[in-house]
Amino acid sequence: MKSSLQEKLRQLADRLKTLDQRLSEPDVHNDLDEFRRISKERAEIEPVVALYASYCQRVADLEAAEAMLADPDMKGFAQEEIAAVKEDLPGLENELQALLLPRDPNDDKNVIVEIRAGTGGDESALFAGDLFRMYSRFAERRRWQIELISASESDLGGYKEVIFRVLGQGAYSALKFESGGHRVQRVPETETQGRIHTSACTVAVMPEADALEAVTINPADLRIDTFRASGAGGQHINKTDSAVRITHLPTGTVVECQDGRSQHQNRDQAMRVLVARIEDQRRREQHAKEAATRKSLIGSGDRSERIRTYNFPQGRLTDHRINLTLYKLAYLMDGDLDELVKTLAAEHQAELLAALAEQD
């Protein structure tokens, strides 16, 4: 194991002892916030330290077995033990490296997802509707909630644009690799000659800020317009100026929301999306700087980057970032995304481990 990795692990072991000492002090139990903070940090460190202790024990076992090689009566046993330890150590080291990888602080957050129809006209809008259903079914399988924020329906069904929240533990962790261009190849229902058409949608997945205060927005930088909502919703929605459009002047970001029942609700939803978009832009700019010298395997999450093709005639989904092809498109479109999500996460972890290995 690298000396730098061992040093990190020794520091964590020392930190665990310090935290245990702090938790034994009466003043910590009198301060609930401090007690929670220390307990949370300890819960994150303890599994790593426990695994490191197992690794150190196996190293000690190896040294003891090597010392027994000189004894003719123990040589056979020693050789077996040496072989067993040498088989165990690489796996333990890989587990330790994975546990030491920096954790994405947004992984447990709710997300805001935006799906927009692109090239392909009505067929693209229909595909946007299919993607919305796919993510909705995936959320149902995870027992997460879906909350529609804004939707612009097309004439033949589907959506020109749909924005929604996904509320659930680990929502961003599971969906964060969905940002980018999604391409569909299929025969549209309106196609009389059976020709395959290609159309596309863009998807943006943004972690929801913990609170609006997470991003400092000067009220003077906002232009808020109200107008009469259009589209479906009955008489009430069309009789009042309940729809809200918020423009963030410094960035030119514009958010509209009209699906809520009141202007207040629409304003809150629009601000939620605005904050998420501004944070997403900052995060992507920071990622671009960090990845300037090294291309990310999973990709930048840029909405213009084509990440996936859905080929309906062949029942095939291909993720171009990791060269993954799955021939179970019907199941995937019904929200059975677990294999895809896990494979993308595993590839991302492998990339991070490779970067960690390059540091020394």
Side-chain angles (χ1 to χ4, degrees):
M1 182 185 292
K2 293 180 181 179
S3 58
S4 59
L5 189 61
Q6 286 188 322
E7 181 59 28
K8 290 178 184 177
L9 291 165
R10 282 193 290 266
Q11 289 174 0
L12 287 176
D14 291 341
R15 179 60 179 166
L16 184 63
K17 293 177 183 177
T18 301
L19 293 174
D20 285 338
Q21 177 62 35
R22 286 287 289 140
L23 287 172
S24 68
E25 298 171 1
D27 65 300
V28 172
H29 292 267
N30 295 329
D31 186 341
L32 190 57
D33 289 338
E34 180 69 0
F35 177 77
R36 286 173 176 167
R37 185 191 67 77
I38 294 176
S39 298
K40 181 181 178 181
E41 184 181 354
R42 189 193 185 283
E44 293 173 351
I45 291 176
E46 195 275 335
V48 185
V49 175
L51 186 60
Y52 180 50
S54 298
Y55 176 85
C56 291
Q57 181 59 55
R58 294 305 278 156
V59 171
D61 292 343
L62 178 62
E63 293 173 350
E66 288 174 340
M68 287 190 290
L69 286 173
D71 186 342
D73 295 332
M74 299 297 293
K75 185 175 182 180
F77 170 79
Q79 289 174 332
E80 291 180 4
E81 180 67 2
I82 289 171
V85 173
K86 287 185 175 180
E87 185 176 346
D88 291 345
L89 286 179
L92 288 170
E93 186 171 342
N94 287 337
E95 286 185 59
L96 284 168
Q97 287 182 333
L99 288 175
L100 285 176
L101 290 175
R103 187 174 181 276
D104 190 332
N106 295 314
D107 273 352
D108 291 333
K109 291 183 179 180
N110 300 328
V111 298
I112 292 175
V113 182
E114 301 181 349
I115 303 174
R116 290 185 178 83
T119 56
D122 290 328
E123 173 63 14
S124 177
L126 290 171
F127 182 51
D130 292 338
L131 290 176
F132 175 55
R133 180 181 182 276
M134 180 181 77
Y135 293 129
S136 297
R137 294 285 291 119
F138 178 62
E140 289 173 12
R141 291 169 184 265
R142 295 283 180 108
R143 301 187 184 278
W144 295 337
Q145 290 180 273
I146 290 284
E147 182 180 294
L148 188 65
I149 293 177
S150 176
S152 175
E153 298 181 5
S154 69
D155 294 336
L156 297 181
Y159 299 98
K160 297 176 184 176
E161 176 186 271
V162 58
I163 303 174
F164 57 98
R165 294 174 71 202
V166 182
L167 295 81
Q169 185 77 12
Y172 183 70
S173 175
L175 294 171
K176 62 184 176 181
F177 300 124
E178 294 301 302
S179 290
H182 295 241
R183 184 178 67 169
V184 62
Q185 295 172 328
R186 63 184 175 187
V187 179
E189 294 180 9
T190 56
E191 171 58 56
T192 58
Q193 299 182 29
R195 292 175 298 187
I196 296 174
H197 288 225
T198 298
S199 55
C201 292
T202 58
V203 174
V205 178
M206 301 168 289
E208 188 175 63
D210 291 327
L212 294 184
E213 293 78 15
V215 177
T216 303
I217 296 180
N218 186 345
D221 290 338
L222 298 178
R223 186 176 71 238
I224 301 177
D225 302 309
T226 58
F227 56 97
R228 188 163 298 178
S230 61
Q235 294 180 339
H236 167 78
I237 199 169
N238 290 310
K239 283 186 176 179
T240 61
D241 289 340
S242 60
V244 174
R245 180 188 300 112
I246 301 179
T247 304
H248 185 241
L249 300 174
T251 62
T253 305
V254 180
V255 177
E256 288 186 8
C257 189
Q258 61 176 328
D259 282 36
R261 295 188 60 83
S262 69
Q263 185 182 117
H264 177 75
Q265 185 179 15
N266 282 326
R267 179 185 170 122
D268 286 348
Q269 293 281 41
M271 279 299 296
R272 196 186 302 275
V273 175
L274 179 69
V275 168
R277 284 186 186 174
I278 293 173
E279 278 284 83
D280 181 59
Q281 181 63 29
R282 291 179 182 177
R283 198 162 33 247
R284 284 189 285 125
E285 289 175 356
Q286 181 64 27
H287 179 89
K289 292 178 182 177
E290 293 173 353
T293 58
R294 187 170 185 274
K295 171 63 177 174
S296 173
L297 177 69
I298 298 300
S300 64
D302 191 298
R303 302 174 196 187
S304 64
E305 178 186 14
R306 192 190 76 185
I307 64 169
R308 195 174 295 156
T309 295
Y310 303 72
N311 186 300
F312 278 75
Q314 297 180 15
R316 166 174 58 82
L317 178 147
T318 300
D319 195 293
H320 304 290
R321 297 165 294 180
I322 58 174
N323 295 320
L324 172 69
T325 297
L326 299 173
Y327 286 91
K328 54 174 189 177
L329 186 56
Y331 293 98
L332 292 161
M333 297 306 296
D334 195 44
D336 186 4
L337 301 178
D338 284 343
E339 181 180 356
L340 180 62
V341 166
K342 289 177 181 177
T343 304
L344 285 165
E347 291 286 353
H348 181 57
Q349 185 181 79
E351 183 197 27
L352 293 175
L353 286 170
L356 184 65
E358 293 172 2
Q359 290 179 2
D360 286 350

